[in-house]
Amino acid sequence: MVAISIFSLFLWVVKNILKIDSQGWFNNFSAIYQLITLVLIIVAILAAAPVHSSSEFVWFSFHNSTNMPNVGYVSLLGMLTCLYGLSGYESSSQMSEETFNASVVAPKGMVNGVLAAIVTGMFFMVGLLYAMGGDIEGTVNGVTDQSIMNIFGLAFSDGKGTINVAGAVSMSVLLLVNIFLGGFSHMTVTTRICYAMAREKALPGSKYYDKVHPKVQVPVNAIIVIFFLDSLLCLLPLGSSTAFDAINSISTIGYQISYAIPIVLRITMARH
């Protein structure tokens, strides 16, 4: 899995080193693919599921298997998945220097990104909850260690434990390709942040990756630095998967805090 992760990073790097005007068609394809496959997956699992969860289960039930008595804290932990879906909504601002009419396009991109994430995320989560048939045990402790994959297995089953492997795997592949395509954009945005900070001499060794390659017009050195750092993070599960999961959770929470700081400053101190 670590090797696959690093290989995926390498492919994202190769795409991002291409000339910026050669990447537009790919980004458009990725966006269309992600939207179409989202609808296809939800429609397919709802149609295939032998039994659906009740509306009471989906909208009103609360399940706590953490053995923690603090309901509020457990609820916050459960929100991490939803918050992760909103991570990176400011991406348009990181790419604003490479767009026309950035002062208008970038804010619109941020607002539209949040709205799109809310609508598609809600649609996806509700679809999964109905398709799981109220089977929490089968979702959490199913044939794989990924709850979403287990829900695909529950949906493509006969209700007696026999899974239609082809159907479940097909949905998993569509989702994995979806995530893989999203990784290209994440790499683009992260490297632009690295380049911007290096340009302001805010990072160690900034002079080595604060430049744009004259031929392809992208910060190639910054892309290589991010690839190296991401690869190091991918090696963490070899030592401790718990540490890797903790870093993911902390970064998700850190994202939201970093988003909140400028918003609070803008509506308080900046108005004076």
Side-chain angles (χ1 to χ4, degrees):
M1 293 300 294
V2 171
I4 293 175
S5 298
I6 295 177
F7 180 67
S8 297
L9 286 172
F10 175 75
L11 294 179
W12 296 344
V13 167
V14 171
K15 181 264 184 184
N16 276 280
I17 290 180
L18 296 175
K19 291 184 65 175
I20 193 65
D21 55 2
S22 301
Q23 299 185 35
W25 68 268
F26 187 90
N27 295 332
N28 291 335
F29 165 77
S30 297
I32 294 172
Y33 175 89
Q34 289 172 327
L35 183 59
I36 292 176
T37 53
L38 172 69
V39 176
L40 179 61
I41 289 173
I42 295 304
V43 170
I45 62 177
L46 288 176
V51 60
H52 294 149
S53 304
S54 66
S55 294
E56 180 180 358
F57 172 84
V58 172
W59 299 103
F60 301 107
S61 65
F62 180 82
H63 179 74
N64 178 11
S65 60
T66 65
N67 295 321
M68 296 181 181
N70 191 322
V71 174
Y73 180 73
V74 173
S75 299
L76 290 175
L77 290 178
M79 289 178 63
L80 283 175
T81 302
C82 301
L83 291 175
Y84 180 78
L86 289 176
S87 298
Y89 79 85
E90 86 296 349
S91 299
S92 58
S93 67
Q94 313 298 347
M95 301 296 296
S96 59
E97 293 184 357
E98 301 174 36
T99 61
F100 296 104
N101 196 21
S103 61
V104 175
V105 174
K108 282 186 175 179
M110 292 174 67
V111 173
N112 291 337
V114 172
L115 294 177
I118 291 173
V119 174
T120 56
M122 186 73 174
F123 181 68
F124 188 60
M125 294 297 290
V126 171
L128 289 175
L129 287 171
Y130 273 108
M132 66 185 286
D135 188 353
I136 295 176
E137 179 63 25
T139 299
V140 177
N141 300 312
V143 294
T144 75
D145 58 357
Q146 299 295 324
S147 297
I148 292 180
M149 306 301 181
N150 291 336
I151 292 177
F152 292 161
L154 292 172
F156 285 90
S157 68
D158 59 2
K160 299 178 181 179
T162 302
I163 298 176
N164 181 343
V165 177
V169 170
S170 297
M171 296 299 101
S172 300
V173 170
L174 288 176
L175 182 60
L176 288 174
V177 173
N178 196 318
I179 296 172
F180 176 73
L181 292 176
F184 287 104
S185 298
H186 279 286
M187 174 66 75
T188 302
V189 173
T190 306
T191 55
R192 297 313 188 268
I193 295 174
C194 177
Y195 164 70
M197 294 183 68
R199 188 178 56 187
E200 301 299 326
K201 310 303 178 186
L203 297 174
S206 294
K207 64 179 181 179
Y208 298 108
Y209 44 94
D210 64 349
K211 301 174 180 62
V212 174
H213 193 281
K215 184 177 181 180
V216 294
Q217 293 298 303
V218 296
V220 174
N221 289 353
I223 293 174
I224 294 173
V225 168
I226 294 301
F227 169 69
F228 176 74
L229 295 176
D230 284 351
S231 297
L232 290 180
L233 287 175
C234 288
L235 294 176
L236 274 178
L238 294 178
S240 173
S241 59
T242 302
F244 182 75
D245 292 339
I247 289 176
N248 282 334
S249 299
I250 292 172
S251 63
T252 300
I253 297 171
Y255 262 130
Q256 311 312 316
I257 295 174
S258 68
Y259 294 154
I261 291 174
I263 294 174
V264 171
L265 293 177
R266 179 65 182 86
I267 63 178
T268 55
M269 297 178 65
R271 290 190 176 277
H272 303 290

